[in-house]
Amino acid sequence: MSQEADLIRQKHSVKVNNGSGVLIQPMSPDYAYVLTAKHCLKVNSNDLNSDDIDPHVIITYDGKPITVLDIIFHDTEDMAIFIVDPDLTLELMINCTPLDDNDEVFLCGYPEDRREGDVSEYSANKYEFYSTDQNRVILTPKAVITHSNVVGFSGGGIFTLGNNNDPVLLCGIETKMDGNIDNEYHGNISVIPISEYEKLVDNPQKLYLGKTLAPLLPLHLSSFEHLDNFTFDVQRSWADDDGLNLLQDVLRALVTEQIKVSLFPYEILQNLEQSFHVHNRPMHELRCIGLWKAFLELLTISILIDKPETVDLAYVREMMKSKRLMYIGGSGVWREYIKDILFTDLEELNENSIIITQTHSKSHSPKFTNDFIKKISDKINIGRADTNSGSIINVRREINRKISKINSVIDLTTLHAECIEAKETVYEEHTNSAECDDETEGKLLTLLNNEYAPYLTIKELENED
């Protein structure tokens, strides 16, 4: 079990009255949600129409009370959402795909057998996918589970394992034990998938302060202002950290001044999802902060080089046709994912374009030529990677056609190391914070352009006539 992953699950698990719940920050800076089961809010837990417990008691994993601002109920299902004060440190994402055979998950919460007086101890039990029943998922325990082990888990979250650098994702909310436990207790539980809670917050009749509810999406998708402080977070390798901080501030200011009121990550994702999705990669990666941090860095550099009159969705669309970002949330350098990259839909990619890659590992070089791409493609005989697309010859022909469009592959992390980390002497004359003014910032931007432009300038193809 990953200790870091378990800490994430614990941090988002809360006690709700005599049950459990999940604290999650939606795409709004104004409030957060606690997802739970409706019966956890009722005086008679067996009657969803009975009176509410008054007052509701919600306690965080570390014993702090949470103030309830409002409550949203599902009209018929055992689903409820508390609206509570925001916690902008929360970054939990929801699972984008249904659970399926062999999927293992954790049920997390505060079971009755871990409560003594006012003290409630967090617990997690491992389950695996068993079956589906209408709009519910049935999970079966991986170990022996008694009835008392499960009581009190109602409203608790179902989370992915978070192993091998995979993120912890919220898959659903546990609402009851499955089957007739008076006849036969087998430990199975019934879970409402997180997609049903998405539908609940998307219901236009469910409002808070007269406004529709924020989607169950990460806060960083709402505005680039939640991302700019994370961009260009290069290794602290300069002798003068203050100078490096100044350079970072100049870069970050360049993009936020131009787009903070006119362009939003969620808008881009809605319109250009296909341009971000990498073949065979999980859909939740399209929501990862790592992707949008990398995109904002690419957008910043592109603005620096292209100097567009307007930075809007149309500009982003055209940029992605020539400078295509491919985010892969896995360990290993980009070339280990060459099959995924070359099986991605590149139909809209322009000729002589650049692929910009971002993984969890840094390559040895910032730039890889078309010849290098062709060489590693031939080396692994990529034509045999997907015979479902047609004959091996046709697949190979299609791969070669895609490669012919690509001028080079750029590793974004290594590019920053080359253009910022290794170039303190290039910038040091203009990174004295005591002397920084508009003229100095302009000179810094010129120097940055000189470093990045050779890698990310799209050159026109020469006519062969």
Side-chain angles (χ1 to χ4, degrees):
M1 181 189 301
S2 166
Q3 184 176 9
E4 181 181 357
D6 196 52
L7 288 174
I8 293 173
R9 289 187 286 266
Q10 183 176 2
K11 182 179 179 180
H12 290 85
S13 298
V14 297
K15 176 185 174 184
V16 175
N17 299 326
N18 294 314
S20 304
V22 178
L23 177 62
I24 186 169
Q25 184 65 44
M27 202 175 73
S28 170
D30 300 324
Y31 53 85
Y33 294 142
V34 171
L35 311 183
T36 187
K38 187 194 293 189
H39 75 259
C40 294
L41 283 61
K42 300 299 180 178
V43 173
N44 181 357
S45 62
N46 294 316
D47 181 4
L48 298 182
N49 295 315
S50 63
D51 292 338
D52 273 12
I53 295 173
D54 186 25
H56 294 296
V57 178
I58 308 179
I59 306 294
T60 63
Y61 76 103
D62 53 356
K64 298 176 182 177
I66 295 178
T67 301
V68 177
L69 304 177
D70 203 350
I71 307 173
I72 305 297
F73 291 112
H74 193 284
D75 295 338
T76 57
E77 297 294 333
D78 191 7
M79 301 165 61
I81 299 176
F82 287 104
I83 296 178
V84 300
D85 288 331
D87 184 346
L88 305 188
T89 66
L90 301 175
E91 295 182 356
L92 179 67
M93 295 195 304
I94 63 174
N95 195 19
C96 295
T97 55
L99 292 175
D100 204 348
D101 294 345
N102 301 320
D103 283 344
E104 294 185 346
V105 292
F106 278 106
L107 165 64
C108 301
Y110 299 85
E112 192 174 89
D113 65 355
R114 294 294 188 97
R115 301 187 185 197
E116 184 175 347
D118 294 332
V119 178
S120 298
E121 186 177 343
Y122 164 83
S123 182
N125 293 325
K126 186 179 285 190
Y127 284 76
E128 66 180 355
F129 177 87
Y130 180 72
S131 65
T132 56
D133 181 14
Q134 296 180 345
N135 67 333
R136 293 175 182 264
V137 175
I138 309 303
L139 303 177
T140 191
K142 293 285 288 182
V144 176
I145 299 290
T146 66
H147 181 272
S148 62
N149 295 147
V150 180
V151 175
F153 266 120
S154 287
I158 304 298
F159 298 90
T160 60
L161 304 188
N163 294 336
N164 302 319
N165 293 318
D166 291 333
V168 172
L169 303 173
L170 178 62
C171 304
I173 300 296
E174 192 265 358
T175 57
K176 63 179 181 179
M177 300 176 198
D178 180 57
N180 188 334
I181 61 175
D182 293 330
N183 295 335
E184 179 184 11
Y185 179 74
H186 42 57
N188 290 359
I189 56 174
S190 179
V191 173
I192 296 180
I194 196 61
S195 57
E196 295 299 312
Y197 282 84
E198 285 188 283
K199 294 175 185 177
L200 179 56
V201 299
D202 288 343
N203 186 333
Q205 296 180 341
K206 303 298 182 181
L207 306 175
Y208 174 59
L209 298 179
K211 297 181 179 179
T212 55
L213 301 175
L216 282 174
L217 294 170
L219 181 62
H220 58 255
L221 288 179
S222 67
S223 171
F224 284 110
E225 289 184 306
H226 298 298
L227 288 159
D228 62 340
N229 287 334
F230 299 100
T231 57
F232 302 100
D233 188 21
V234 298
Q235 184 176 337
R236 315 305 290 178
S237 57
W238 283 21
D240 178 15
D241 276 351
D242 290 339
L244 181 55
N245 291 336
L246 175 61
L247 185 70
Q248 290 171 317
D249 289 343
V250 169
L251 270 172
R252 291 165 179 168
L254 172 70
V255 69
T256 54
E257 288 174 1
Q258 297 199 39
I259 69 171
K260 62 183 178 183
V261 296
S262 61
L263 197 61
F264 307 96
Y266 185 49
E267 174 193 17
I268 295 172
L269 180 58
Q270 283 184 306
N271 286 275
L272 302 176
E273 179 178 297
Q274 191 58 37
S275 295
F276 285 95
H277 186 241
V278 178
H279 175 76
N280 206 35
R281 298 302 304 172
M283 293 301 291
H284 70 256
E285 287 189 348
L286 298 181
R287 302 174 177 182
C288 282
I289 192 170
L291 182 153
W292 291 99
K293 181 180 81 69
F295 173 78
L296 188 53
E297 291 173 347
L298 174 60
L299 181 61
T300 302
I301 299 166
S302 294
I303 292 172
L304 182 66
I305 295 171
D306 299 341
K307 297 178 177 57
E309 292 184 7
T310 304
V311 180
D312 55 12
L313 186 62
Y315 172 73
V316 172
R317 191 186 303 275
E318 290 305 309
M319 182 192 79
M320 290 287 283
K321 290 179 180 179
S322 294
K323 294 190 281 277
R324 176 75 175 270
L325 175 66
M326 291 201 183
Y327 174 80
I328 297 170
S331 58
V333 296
W334 71 267
R335 61 167 293 175
E336 296 176 47
Y337 302 94
I338 187 65
K339 293 179 182 178
D340 292 337
I341 291 172
L342 292 180
F343 276 106
T344 296
D345 183 359
L346 301 180
E347 197 59 38
E348 291 193 359
L349 197 67
N350 294 333
E351 300 292 332
N352 207 36
S353 292
I354 300 169
I355 299 294
I356 295 91
T357 61
Q358 177 74 75
T359 70
H360 289 171
S361 300
K362 186 168 70 172
S363 295
H364 69 275
S365 172
K367 180 176 180 178
F368 299 85
T369 65
N370 175 279
D371 289 342
F372 182 86
I373 304 166
K374 184 71 165 57
K375 185 180 297 183
I376 61 172
S377 173
D378 291 342
K379 182 74 174 177
I380 63 174
N381 198 5
I382 200 170
R384 295 185 180 275
D386 185 4
T387 55
N388 292 327
S389 299
S391 70
I392 294 176
I393 294 176
N394 288 338
V395 171
R396 185 71 247 180
R397 184 181 295 117
E398 176 63 17
I399 292 299
N400 287 337
R401 188 180 71 84
K402 290 180 177 181
I403 293 174
S404 69
K405 285 186 169 187
I406 303 171
N407 174 283
S408 57
V409 170
I410 300 295
D411 182 278
L412 191 58
T413 301
T414 312
L415 181 65
H416 296 329
E418 175 68 21
C419 296
I420 295 179
E421 291 174 21
K423 298 295 174 65
E424 180 177 8
T425 56
V426 172
Y427 305 112
E428 62 183 350
E429 183 180 345
H430 306 293
T431 52
N432 185 337
S433 58
E435 300 175 1
C436 187
D437 53 22
D438 290 345
E439 182 180 355
T440 301
E441 288 187 12
K443 291 178 179 178
L444 274 177
L445 291 174
T446 298
L447 291 172
L448 284 161
N449 179 77
N450 293 342
E451 294 296 326
Y452 279 101
Y455 297 97
L456 291 176
T457 298
I458 304 299
K459 297 179 181 179
E460 296 294 334
L461 291 172
E462 296 181 1
N463 292 326
E464 296 181 359
D465 296 342

